[in-house]
């Protein structure tokens, strides 16, 4: 009986991997006959595990979704990963998940073997996150589920959206992706009335259900929704914008900047234009200096004046020194 129970657990562990298992391969893995595999599959079904079986040369067994969630088997690394993930979710900005995450975490930690419990507790005690500079509004879990379902089903969405000033307007969009950046969530969608892509902060929108008719799928803006959000959100937050001529190929400049820092346009084989910005002129000057290429700035005037001031300051800092003195 013990051998049969151990074999069932081993079979269940194999079936939980996302693939189909031919009966012959399962029999080889378990060291039993094909008939025993079929009998064990029936035992699992009796215990509430929905095991699908397909016939033919390409057929096999796989664990399907059922009406109830049966117990899961996790190996050591999976158990640690799930525990850490639950701890992170409990600290996240998802409204309504804190209590359920802590509850699930307590259940999991209660059944962890002592060797794993020590590893998890060490992670919890000695690995601490840096708190956010300022609190971010939480995202409602049900709202995220609604948005991702509209993305999946390609259904138009009517919603009320508040801008940064608090003014609300009705929008009709074709939702594409939901992007998480730090503690904020964003909806990337095609704005039907404006006929262009837009980024909406999830905490500022209120969907009007039910969703509308289906729409034809589109490619992600700029080929990657996350990159698109990074660029749009960063640019919107900049206090100072600049278009800088960089005397280097666009490909070389792109290797040195993050898409969230700016966009690059090719001028010719040896020149490009960098559209960038920052919250302060000092930060902008530092970013440009770290490019490692010669560049020309013509606007904005305050940045030109600031760079001239910095150039004079750097020049004064080396007055009276010589290469020989610097090398000693």
């Amino acid at each position: 009986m013990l051998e049969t129970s151990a074999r069932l657990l081993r079979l269940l562990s194999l079936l939980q991997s996302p693939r189909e298992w031919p009966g012959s391969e399962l029999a080889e893995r378990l060291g039993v006959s094909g008939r025993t595999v079929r009998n064990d599959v029936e035992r699992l079904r009796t215990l509430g595990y929905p095991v699908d079986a397909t016939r033919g040369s390409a057929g096999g067994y796989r664990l399907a979704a059922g009406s109830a969630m049966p117990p899961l088997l996790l190996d050591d690394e999976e158990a640690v990963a799930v525990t850490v993930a639950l701890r992170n979710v409990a600290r996240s900005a998802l409204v309504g998940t804190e209590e359920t995450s802590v509850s699930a975490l307590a259940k999991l930690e209660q059944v962890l073997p002592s060797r794993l419990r020590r590893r998890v507790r060490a992670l919890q005690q000695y690995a601490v996150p840096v708190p956010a500079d300022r609190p971010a509004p939480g995202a409602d879990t049900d709202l995220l589920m609604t948005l991702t379902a509209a993305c999946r089903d390609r259904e138009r969405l009517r919603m009320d959206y508040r801008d940064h000033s608090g003014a609300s307007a009705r929008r009709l969009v074709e939702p594409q992706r939901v992007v998480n950046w730090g503690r904020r969530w964003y909806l990337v969608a095609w704005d039907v009335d404006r006929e262009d892509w837009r980024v909406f902060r999830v905490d500022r929108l209120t969907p009007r259900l039910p969703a509308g008719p289906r729409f034809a799928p589109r490619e992600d803006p700029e080929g990657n929704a996350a990159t698109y959000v990074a660029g749009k959100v960063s640019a919107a937050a900049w206090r100072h914008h600049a278009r800088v001529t960089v005397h280097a190929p666009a490909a070389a400049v792109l290797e040195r900047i993050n898409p969230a820092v700016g966009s690059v346009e090719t001028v010719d084989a040896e020149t490009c234009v960098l559209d960038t910005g920052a919250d302060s002129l000092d930060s902008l000057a530092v970013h440009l200096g770290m490019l490692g290429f010669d560049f020309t700035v013509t606007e904005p005037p305050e940045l030109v004046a600031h760079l001239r001031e910095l150039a004079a300051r750097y020049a004064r800092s080396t007055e009276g020194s010589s290469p020989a003195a610097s090398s000693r």
Side-chain angles (χ1 to χ4, degrees), residues 89-90 92-102 138-142:
V89 170
S92 73
L94 289 178
V95 177
T97 62
E98 298 89 345
E99 184 176 346
T100 53
S101 298
V102 170
D140 182 77
T141 308
D142 291 336

Side-chain angles (χ1 to χ4, degrees), residues 4-254:
T4 300
S5 300
R7 191 176 66 245
L8 284 176
L9 289 174
R10 174 61 177 155
L11 174 59
L12 180 59
S13 178
L14 292 171
L15 291 175
Q16 285 182 164
S17 61
R19 54 163 290 190
E20 282 200 352
W21 290 88
S24 58
E25 187 174 350
L26 288 175
E28 181 181 353
R29 290 288 191 105
L30 299 172
V32 296
S33 66
R35 180 179 180 181
T36 300
V37 169
R38 291 191 294 273
N39 290 337
D40 285 349
V41 166
E42 287 302 322
R43 290 190 181 97
L44 289 179
R45 288 170 175 163
T46 302
L47 293 172
Y49 295 93
V51 181
D52 286 345
T54 55
R55 298 182 181 276
S57 58
Y61 298 98
R62 69 182 305 163
L63 196 63
S67 57
M69 183 176 174
L72 298 177
L73 290 180
L74 303 174
D75 62 26
D76 287 4
E77 298 304 321
E78 290 171 338
V80 172
V82 171
T83 305
V84 173
L86 285 171
R87 178 69 64 181
N88 290 338
V89 170
R91 291 193 296 251
S92 73
L94 289 178
V95 177
T97 62
E98 298 89 345
E99 184 176 346
T100 53
S101 298
V102 170
S103 174
L105 183 63
K107 292 178 181 178
L108 183 57
E109 290 182 341
Q110 184 177 3
V111 298
L112 285 177
S114 59
R115 66 182 187 280
L116 296 185
R117 193 178 298 115
R118 283 174 55 85
R119 292 174 59 186
V120 169
R121 287 178 177 172
L123 278 171
Q124 295 171 355
Q125 183 175 358
Y126 295 104
V128 294
V130 175
D133 293 337
R134 53 181 182 270
D140 182 77
T141 308
D142 291 336
L143 176 56
L144 290 177
M145 298 290 284
T146 297
L147 297 179
T148 53
C151 294
R152 177 198 62 202
D153 298 335
R154 303 292 182 185
E155 292 180 337
R156 285 187 172 183
L157 194 64
R158 295 170 299 151
M159 63 184 192
D160 295 322
Y161 187 71
R162 293 177 290 103
D163 61 20
H164 65 279
S165 66
S168 181
R170 185 74 52 83
R171 309 294 281 267
L172 178 62
V173 301
E174 296 177 352
Q176 182 78 4
R177 304 279 181 189
V178 175
V179 176
N180 173 227
W181 189 3
R183 292 177 60 84
R184 282 207 172 101
W185 295 80
Y186 300 90
L187 172 66
V188 178
W190 178 264
D191 193 305
V192 175
D193 296 326
R194 292 160 179 78
E195 297 184 344
D196 198 3
W197 291 106
R198 290 291 188 271
V199 176
F200 302 95
R201 269 180 48 177
V202 169
D203 60 291
R204 290 178 177 173
L205 67 85
T206 304
R208 290 180 169 266
L209 301 177
R214 295 183 180 274
F215 59 88
R218 303 174 186 270
E219 294 293 329
D220 282 357
E222 300 182 5
N224 187 298
T227 301
Y228 180 74
V229 168
K232 291 295 182 181
V233 172
S234 295
W238 292 335
R239 288 186 58 197
H240 302 280
H241 292 253
R243 283 179 62 82
V244 181
T245 300
V246 183
H247 304 287
V253 176
L254 283 170

Side-chain angles (χ1 to χ4, degrees), residues 233-288:
V233 172
S234 295
W238 292 335
R239 288 186 58 197
H240 302 280
H241 292 253
R243 283 179 62 82
V244 181
T245 300
V246 183
H247 304 287
V253 176
L254 283 170
E255 290 180 355
R256 302 197 176 196
I257 68 167
N258 185 289
V261 175
S263 59
V264 178
E265 303 171 12
T266 299
V267 175
D268 53 42
E270 299 299 327
T271 312
C272 63
V273 172
L274 171 63
D275 192 341
T276 185
D279 288 340
S280 69
L281 293 176
D282 283 325
S283 297
L284 191 49
V286 168
H287 293 157
L288 292 175

